[in-house]
Amino acid sequence: MPSAFVTCLIFSCYFLDMWNWVSFGQGSYPKATLEVSPGNVTARGGNLTFRCVGLYPSMQFILYRGSDVLKTLDPPGSEATFLLTDLQPADKGAYTCRYLPRTGPTIYSDASDIIQIKVLDLAKPCISWAAVKGVKGDYKINCSAPEDQKVKSFFLYEGSVTQKTDRKPPPKEHQVTFPISGVSDSTSMEYRCSYQVKESGRLVASPLSDPVDFRKDEEPKKPDKSDKKDDEEQNKPDEPAKNNYISLTTIIISVVCSVLLVIALIAVIIVYIKHKTNKAGSDSQKSSLSKGAEEIERAAETMYASVGRGEQRDTAITTEGACQEEYLTYAVINKDALKKHKWAPSSEPAEATVYASVNVQ
C-alpha cells in the first residue's frame, strides 16, 4: 500500500511538472540530447548509432538530417536509439533530434545540438599473396592502400571479421606484408585486409579487401625447363606477327606511292605528246598555207596573159548561103607582171588589152 502511494505520487509530480513546462515554457519541451557512436566520421559503407535522450518517457522521437525526417521511434523509456547502416558520401550533413507526446497536442521539444557527420569515400585495399620459397606452409600476404591516403595502420582478418593482426607501414609507404606460417594442406581459410586513416582526430577504417585463399587460389606455377621451350615457341609468333604487320603496312604504302608516281609520269608524257602533236600540226598547217600563198603569188606574177572565149560577135554568110556564127577569142596581158620583170617597154605606154579575131570552125 505505501509503495502504490509513492508510485502514484511520483507520476502525479511528473505530469504536473510536464504540464507546468508546457504551460509556462513557451509551448515546447526541454531540448533533447543527441549522441553518435563510434564517432562523427565513418567510411563509405560504415554504420553509425544515434542516441536521442529526452526528459520524459512515452514520447515519440524523431531523427533529422538537415530539415528532412530520417526516422521516428516510439520507445518505452525516455530515449531512442537510431541505427544507420551502409552510409554513403551523400549521407553526410547536420543531424539533430526532437521528441513530442504520442497523443494530445502536437508540442515539440527544442532540437538537440547539431552533429556534423562525415562519410569518407575510402577505396578497398589491394591484397595478394605468395608462398615462401623453401618453407612449406609459410606464406606472405601483401596489403596496399591508395597512394593519396595517409595510412596509419593495416589490419589482417581471418575469415570476414576476425582480426588476426595489425601492422603500421614504414614512413611514406602505402603497403605492408603479413607473414603467415604453419598452414597445413587441409587448411582452407580466407584472408582479408583493411587500413585506417585519421580524420578529424578519429581513426576511420576502410572497407575490407577481396578475400584470398591459399588452397582455392593457387599461386601461378613457374615454368620449368621442359615447358620453357614450349612457352618460347608459343610466344615467338607474337613478335614476328607484329613485325609482319609493320612490314605489310610498309609494303602497301610503298606500292601505293609507286602507282601514284607512275600515273603522274604517264600523265606528264601524254600532255607532252599532245602538246608536240598540236605544235607540229600547227606548224605543218602554217607551212602549207605559206607555200600555197607563195605558189599563188608566184603564179600570179608569172602569168603574163590569159586567153578566153568571148560572146558571139558577128554572123557570116558562106558561099553555100548558110549562116555561120563567129566567135571572138581574146587575150588579156598582165601589165604588172611585165613591168616587174622589166619585159614591157617603159617609154611608151602599152595598151592594156589586145584583141585578136580568130575564126573558130
Side-chain angles (χ1 to χ4, degrees), residues 218-237:
E218 292 293 337
E219 185 180 15
K221 294 182 179 180
K222 295 183 180 180
D224 54 14
K225 294 182 180 180
S226 61
D227 298 333
K228 189 174 182 181
K229 293 183 179 180
D230 296 336
D231 294 339
E232 290 179 354
E233 291 179 358
Q234 292 178 358
N235 295 330
K236 278 183 180 179

PDB file of all heavy atoms in Angstrom, residues 218-237:
ATOM      1  N   GLU A 218      45.222 -20.923 -56.290  1.00  0.00           N
ATOM      2  CA  GLU A 218      46.559 -21.485 -56.473  1.00  0.00           C
ATOM      3  C   GLU A 218      47.500 -20.430 -57.036  1.00  0.00           C
ATOM      4  O   GLU A 218      47.132 -19.657 -57.931  1.00  0.00           O
ATOM      5  CB  GLU A 218      46.504 -22.692 -57.427  1.00  0.00           C
ATOM      6  CG  GLU A 218      45.778 -23.908 -56.848  1.00  0.00           C
ATOM      7  CD  GLU A 218      46.525 -24.514 -55.675  1.00  0.00           C
ATOM      8  OE1 GLU A 218      47.753 -24.306 -55.583  1.00  0.00           O
ATOM      9  OE2 GLU A 218      45.878 -25.179 -54.840  1.00  0.00           O
ATOM     10  N   GLU A 219      48.713 -20.414 -56.488  1.00  0.00           N
ATOM     11  CA  GLU A 219      49.717 -19.485 -56.987  1.00  0.00           C
ATOM     12  C   GLU A 219      50.152 -19.914 -58.384  1.00  0.00           C
ATOM     13  O   GLU A 219      50.325 -21.105 -58.641  1.00  0.00           O
ATOM     14  CB  GLU A 219      50.924 -19.479 -56.055  1.00  0.00           C
ATOM     15  CG  GLU A 219      51.969 -18.442 -56.432  1.00  0.00           C
ATOM     16  CD  GLU A 219      53.151 -18.465 -55.469  1.00  0.00           C
ATOM     17  OE1 GLU A 219      53.266 -19.448 -54.714  1.00  0.00           O
ATOM     18  OE2 GLU A 219      53.943 -17.517 -55.491  1.00  0.00           O
ATOM     19  N   PRO A 220      50.322 -18.995 -59.298  1.00  0.00           N
ATOM     20  CA  PRO A 220      50.753 -19.362 -60.652  1.00  0.00           C
ATOM     21  C   PRO A 220      52.081 -20.110 -60.621  1.00  0.00           C
ATOM     22  O   PRO A 220      53.030 -19.690 -59.957  1.00  0.00           O
ATOM     23  CB  PRO A 220      50.896 -17.999 -61.352  1.00  0.00           C
ATOM     24  CG  PRO A 220      50.021 -17.088 -60.570  1.00  0.00           C
ATOM     25  CD  PRO A 220      50.079 -17.564 -59.154  1.00  0.00           C
ATOM     26  N   LYS A 221      52.107 -21.222 -61.331  1.00  0.00           N
ATOM     27  CA  LYS A 221      53.320 -22.036 -61.354  1.00  0.00           C
ATOM     28  C   LYS A 221      54.357 -21.422 -62.269  1.00  0.00           C
ATOM     29  O   LYS A 221      54.044 -20.905 -63.341  1.00  0.00           O
ATOM     30  CB  LYS A 221      52.983 -23.449 -61.845  1.00  0.00           C
ATOM     31  CG  LYS A 221      52.087 -24.227 -60.895  1.00  0.00           C
ATOM     32  CD  LYS A 221      51.833 -25.621 -61.435  1.00  0.00           C
ATOM     33  CE  LYS A 221      50.960 -26.413 -60.472  1.00  0.00           C
ATOM     34  NZ  LYS A 221      50.702 -27.790 -60.992  1.00  0.00           N
ATOM     35  N   LYS A 222      55.602 -21.510 -61.854  1.00  0.00           N
ATOM     36  CA  LYS A 222      56.692 -21.025 -62.689  1.00  0.00           C
ATOM     37  C   LYS A 222      57.082 -22.116 -63.684  1.00  0.00           C
ATOM     38  O   LYS A 222      57.178 -23.286 -63.326  1.00  0.00           O
ATOM     39  CB  LYS A 222      57.899 -20.647 -61.822  1.00  0.00           C
ATOM     40  CG  LYS A 222      57.627 -19.487 -60.901  1.00  0.00           C
ATOM     41  CD  LYS A 222      58.860 -19.111 -60.118  1.00  0.00           C
ATOM     42  CE  LYS A 222      58.587 -17.939 -59.188  1.00  0.00           C
ATOM     43  NZ  LYS A 222      59.784 -17.562 -58.419  1.00  0.00           N
ATOM     44  N   PRO A 223      57.309 -21.765 -64.916  1.00  0.00           N
ATOM     45  CA  PRO A 223      57.616 -22.792 -65.919  1.00  0.00           C
ATOM     46  C   PRO A 223      58.970 -23.443 -65.655  1.00  0.00           C
ATOM     47  O   PRO A 223      59.946 -22.779 -65.297  1.00  0.00           O
ATOM     48  CB  PRO A 223      57.634 -21.994 -67.237  1.00  0.00           C
ATOM     49  CG  PRO A 223      57.917 -20.593 -66.824  1.00  0.00           C
ATOM     50  CD  PRO A 223      57.305 -20.418 -65.472  1.00  0.00           C
ATOM     51  N   ASP A 224      59.013 -24.790 -65.799  1.00  0.00           N
ATOM     52  CA  ASP A 224      60.288 -25.500 -65.656  1.00  0.00           C
ATOM     53  C   ASP A 224      60.986 -25.561 -67.009  1.00  0.00           C
ATOM     54  O   ASP A 224      60.521 -25.039 -68.014  1.00  0.00           O
ATOM     55  CB  ASP A 224      60.061 -26.905 -65.083  1.00  0.00           C
ATOM     56  CG  ASP A 224      59.045 -27.686 -65.906  1.00  0.00           C
ATOM     57  OD1 ASP A 224      58.734 -27.249 -67.031  1.00  0.00           O
ATOM     58  OD2 ASP A 224      58.563 -28.723 -65.419  1.00  0.00           O
ATOM     59  N   LYS A 225      62.144 -26.261 -67.026  1.00  0.00           N
ATOM     60  CA  LYS A 225      62.949 -26.287 -68.243  1.00  0.00           C
ATOM     61  C   LYS A 225      62.239 -27.009 -69.375  1.00  0.00           C
ATOM     62  O   LYS A 225      62.404 -26.665 -70.541  1.00  0.00           O
ATOM     63  CB  LYS A 225      64.290 -26.959 -67.947  1.00  0.00           C
ATOM     64  CG  LYS A 225      65.158 -26.163 -66.991  1.00  0.00           C
ATOM     65  CD  LYS A 225      66.485 -26.864 -66.770  1.00  0.00           C
ATOM     66  CE  LYS A 225      67.369 -26.065 -65.805  1.00  0.00           C
ATOM     67  NZ  LYS A 225      68.667 -26.745 -65.579  1.00  0.00           N
ATOM     68  N   SER A 226      61.458 -28.061 -69.034  1.00  0.00           N
ATOM     69  CA  SER A 226      60.782 -28.822 -70.081  1.00  0.00           C
ATOM     70  C   SER A 226      59.705 -28.002 -70.775  1.00  0.00           C
ATOM     71  O   SER A 226      59.443 -28.175 -71.957  1.00  0.00           O
ATOM     72  CB  SER A 226      60.166 -30.092 -69.487  1.00  0.00           C
ATOM     73  OG  SER A 226      59.216 -29.739 -68.492  1.00  0.00           O
ATOM     74  N   ASP A 227      59.047 -27.122 -69.999  1.00  0.00           N
ATOM     75  CA  ASP A 227      57.992 -26.315 -70.575  1.00  0.00           C
ATOM     76  C   ASP A 227      58.498 -24.998 -71.132  1.00  0.00           C
ATOM     77  O   ASP A 227      57.748 -24.269 -71.764  1.00  0.00           O
ATOM     78  CB  ASP A 227      56.920 -26.016 -69.509  1.00  0.00           C
ATOM     79  CG  ASP A 227      56.281 -27.292 -69.007  1.00  0.00           C
ATOM     80  OD1 ASP A 227      56.257 -28.273 -69.787  1.00  0.00           O
ATOM     81  OD2 ASP A 227      55.818 -27.296 -67.850  1.00  0.00           O
ATOM     82  N   LYS A 228      59.763 -24.691 -70.870  1.00  0.00           N
ATOM     83  CA  LYS A 228      60.291 -23.395 -71.291  1.00  0.00           C
ATOM     84  C   LYS A 228      60.315 -23.266 -72.800  1.00  0.00           C
ATOM     85  O   LYS A 228      59.990 -22.238 -73.365  1.00  0.00           O
ATOM     86  CB  LYS A 228      61.695 -23.202 -70.708  1.00  0.00           C
ATOM     87  CG  LYS A 228      62.230 -21.806 -70.912  1.00  0.00           C
ATOM     88  CD  LYS A 228      63.550 -21.628 -70.201  1.00  0.00           C
ATOM     89  CE  LYS A 228      64.067 -20.211 -70.353  1.00  0.00           C
ATOM     90  NZ  LYS A 228      65.374 -20.040 -69.663  1.00  0.00           N
ATOM     91  N   LYS A 229      60.727 -24.388 -73.476  1.00  0.00           N
ATOM     92  CA  LYS A 229      60.799 -24.335 -74.920  1.00  0.00           C
ATOM     93  C   LYS A 229      59.421 -24.156 -75.534  1.00  0.00           C
ATOM     94  O   LYS A 229      59.225 -23.420 -76.500  1.00  0.00           O
ATOM     95  CB  LYS A 229      61.445 -25.616 -75.451  1.00  0.00           C
ATOM     96  CG  LYS A 229      62.917 -25.743 -75.070  1.00  0.00           C
ATOM     97  CD  LYS A 229      63.512 -26.990 -75.681  1.00  0.00           C
ATOM     98  CE  LYS A 229      64.992 -27.123 -75.325  1.00  0.00           C
ATOM     99  NZ  LYS A 229      65.579 -28.345 -75.914  1.00  0.00           N
ATOM    100  N   ASP A 230      58.424 -24.866 -74.960  1.00  0.00           N
ATOM    101  CA  ASP A 230      57.060 -24.723 -75.479  1.00  0.00           C
ATOM    102  C   ASP A 230      56.548 -23.310 -75.319  1.00  0.00           C
ATOM    103  O   ASP A 230      55.897 -22.750 -76.205  1.00  0.00           O
ATOM    104  CB  ASP A 230      56.117 -25.700 -74.768  1.00  0.00           C
ATOM    105  CG  ASP A 230      56.506 -27.151 -75.051  1.00  0.00           C
ATOM    106  OD1 ASP A 230      57.149 -27.384 -76.100  1.00  0.00           O
ATOM    107  OD2 ASP A 230      56.158 -28.016 -74.229  1.00  0.00           O
ATOM    108  N   ASP A 231      56.845 -22.705 -74.164  1.00  0.00           N
ATOM    109  CA  ASP A 231      56.409 -21.331 -73.939  1.00  0.00           C
ATOM    110  C   ASP A 231      57.082 -20.377 -74.902  1.00  0.00           C
ATOM    111  O   ASP A 231      56.458 -19.434 -75.412  1.00  0.00           O
ATOM    112  CB  ASP A 231      56.707 -20.912 -72.493  1.00  0.00           C
ATOM    113  CG  ASP A 231      55.879 -21.707 -71.494  1.00  0.00           C
ATOM    114  OD1 ASP A 231      54.842 -22.257 -71.916  1.00  0.00           O
ATOM    115  OD2 ASP A 231      56.292 -21.778 -70.322  1.00  0.00           O
ATOM    116  N   GLU A 232      58.383 -20.622 -75.147  1.00  0.00           N
ATOM    117  CA  GLU A 232      59.080 -19.739 -76.078  1.00  0.00           C
ATOM    118  C   GLU A 232      58.512 -19.861 -77.483  1.00  0.00           C
ATOM    119  O   GLU A 232      58.346 -18.879 -78.196  1.00  0.00           O
ATOM    120  CB  GLU A 232      60.573 -20.083 -76.086  1.00  0.00           C
ATOM    121  CG  GLU A 232      61.294 -19.692 -74.803  1.00  0.00           C
ATOM    122  CD  GLU A 232      62.758 -20.071 -74.849  1.00  0.00           C
ATOM    123  OE1 GLU A 232      63.160 -20.730 -75.846  1.00  0.00           O
ATOM    124  OE2 GLU A 232      63.484 -19.726 -73.894  1.00  0.00           O
ATOM    125  N   GLU A 233      58.181 -21.119 -77.874  1.00  0.00           N
ATOM    126  CA  GLU A 233      57.604 -21.311 -79.201  1.00  0.00           C
ATOM    127  C   GLU A 233      56.239 -20.655 -79.313  1.00  0.00           C
ATOM    128  O   GLU A 233      55.859 -20.148 -80.367  1.00  0.00           O
ATOM    129  CB  GLU A 233      57.496 -22.816 -79.502  1.00  0.00           C
ATOM    130  CG  GLU A 233      58.858 -23.483 -79.686  1.00  0.00           C
ATOM    131  CD  GLU A 233      58.722 -24.968 -79.951  1.00  0.00           C
ATOM    132  OE1 GLU A 233      57.562 -25.443 -79.942  1.00  0.00           O
ATOM    133  OE2 GLU A 233      59.740 -25.627 -80.167  1.00  0.00           O
ATOM    134  N   GLN A 234      55.467 -20.678 -78.218  1.00  0.00           N
ATOM    135  CA  GLN A 234      54.164 -20.040 -78.247  1.00  0.00           C
ATOM    136  C   GLN A 234      54.273 -18.525 -78.249  1.00  0.00           C
ATOM    137  O   GLN A 234      53.445 -17.828 -78.818  1.00  0.00           O
ATOM    138  CB  GLN A 234      53.327 -20.481 -77.036  1.00  0.00           C
ATOM    139  CG  GLN A 234      52.943 -21.955 -77.114  1.00  0.00           C
ATOM    140  CD  GLN A 234      52.158 -22.381 -75.889  1.00  0.00           C
ATOM    141  OE1 GLN A 234      51.943 -21.589 -74.971  1.00  0.00           O
ATOM    142  NE2 GLN A 234      51.738 -23.636 -75.879  1.00  0.00           N
ATOM    143  N   ASN A 235      55.320 -18.019 -77.613  1.00  0.00           N
ATOM    144  CA  ASN A 235      55.484 -16.572 -77.537  1.00  0.00           C
ATOM    145  C   ASN A 235      56.191 -15.994 -78.753  1.00  0.00           C
ATOM    146  O   ASN A 235      56.093 -14.799 -79.010  1.00  0.00           O
ATOM    147  CB  ASN A 235      56.267 -16.189 -76.280  1.00  0.00           C
ATOM    148  CG  ASN A 235      55.506 -16.535 -75.018  1.00  0.00           C
ATOM    149  OD1 ASN A 235      54.275 -16.527 -75.026  1.00  0.00           O
ATOM    150  ND2 ASN A 235      56.213 -16.843 -73.950  1.00  0.00           N
ATOM    151  N   LYS A 236      56.930 -16.845 -79.490  1.00  0.00           N
ATOM    152  CA  LYS A 236      57.673 -16.339 -80.635  1.00  0.00           C
ATOM    153  C   LYS A 236      56.772 -15.740 -81.703  1.00  0.00           C
ATOM    154  O   LYS A 236      57.070 -14.682 -82.240  1.00  0.00           O
ATOM    155  CB  LYS A 236      58.524 -17.459 -81.238  1.00  0.00           C
ATOM    156  CG  LYS A 236      59.843 -17.672 -80.510  1.00  0.00           C
ATOM    157  CD  LYS A 236      60.663 -18.741 -81.208  1.00  0.00           C
ATOM    158  CE  LYS A 236      61.986 -18.961 -80.475  1.00  0.00           C
ATOM    159  NZ  LYS A 236      62.797 -20.010 -81.116  1.00  0.00           N
ATOM    160  N   PRO A 237      55.651 -16.368 -82.061  1.00  0.00           N
ATOM    161  CA  PRO A 237      54.841 -15.798 -83.144  1.00  0.00           C
ATOM    162  C   PRO A 237      54.316 -14.409 -82.851  1.00  0.00           C
ATOM    163  O   PRO A 237      53.968 -13.682 -83.761  1.00  0.00           O
ATOM    164  CB  PRO A 237      53.688 -16.801 -83.281  1.00  0.00           C
ATOM    165  CG  PRO A 237      54.222 -18.072 -82.720  1.00  0.00           C
ATOM    166  CD  PRO A 237      55.145 -17.655 -81.627  1.00  0.00           C
TER     167      PRO A 237
END
